[in-house]
Structures are given as structure tokens and as C-alpha cells.
Amino acid sequence: MRITYLFTGLVLLATATSCLKDQCEATRTFIAYEPVWASSEELRTLPTEAPRALEDPGKLYVLGAWLFVNGAWEGVHIFDTSAP
């Protein structure tokens, strides 16, 4: 019986305090990323770099004869596995 009174008191307390209005006046600033769009011609003329060692490789993706390796803070490394 005591547990029932305790439970009823907690429910009443929760419903009574849910009607209070927030007194928060904080301002939050967010940083958002915007997509960079490129045409297919611009994608074909992307600059390439000389091969270098992978320091912190991430996930691997295989699409046909291509191997894509996500490098942490470096970008995507693309390998052609058709001609070893």
C-alpha cells in the first residue's frame, strides 16, 4: 500500500512540474556544412597527387575493379586493382 502512495505521489509531482515554462534565454550558435557541387567535367579534371602511404586508413569499399579507402582527415584514396 505504501508503494502505491509513493508511486501516485511521483506521478502527481511529474505532471505538476511539466507545466512550468522554461526560463532559458541562452543563444546557441551552430556551424553547418554546405555541399560543394561540381559538374562532371570538373570531376574529370580533379588534381591527382603522387602515391603515398596510408597513415590512418578507415573503411574499405570495393566497386568492380576499384578499391576506395577512406583516409581519416585526408580524403578518399582510389586504387585500380585490375592491373596489379
Side-chain angles (χ1 to χ4, degrees):
M1 192 57 104
R2 188 175 191 180
I3 295 175
T4 306
Y5 290 134
L6 179 63
F7 180 72
T8 306
L10 288 174
V11 169
L12 288 175
L13 181 65
T15 56
T17 58
S18 66
C19 297
L20 298 176
K21 291 192 175 200
D22 288 337
Q23 300 297 325
C24 180
E25 295 183 13
T27 302
R28 294 187 177 141
T29 304
F30 296 97
I31 298 174
Y33 293 104
E34 295 182 12
V36 177
W37 300 100
S39 67
S40 40
E41 290 301 320
E42 290 174 328
L43 287 176
R44 288 186 183 97
T45 60
L46 281 176
T48 58
E49 297 179 2
R52 58 182 176 173
L54 295 172
E55 295 182 15
D56 190 13
K59 294 186 177 187
L60 302 172
Y61 300 97
V62 177
L63 180 64
W66 296 96
L67 173 67
F68 298 92
V69 180
N70 180 17
W73 304 106
E74 294 179 9
V76 178
H77 301 271
I78 303 171
F79 299 97
D80 183 10
T81 59
S82 64

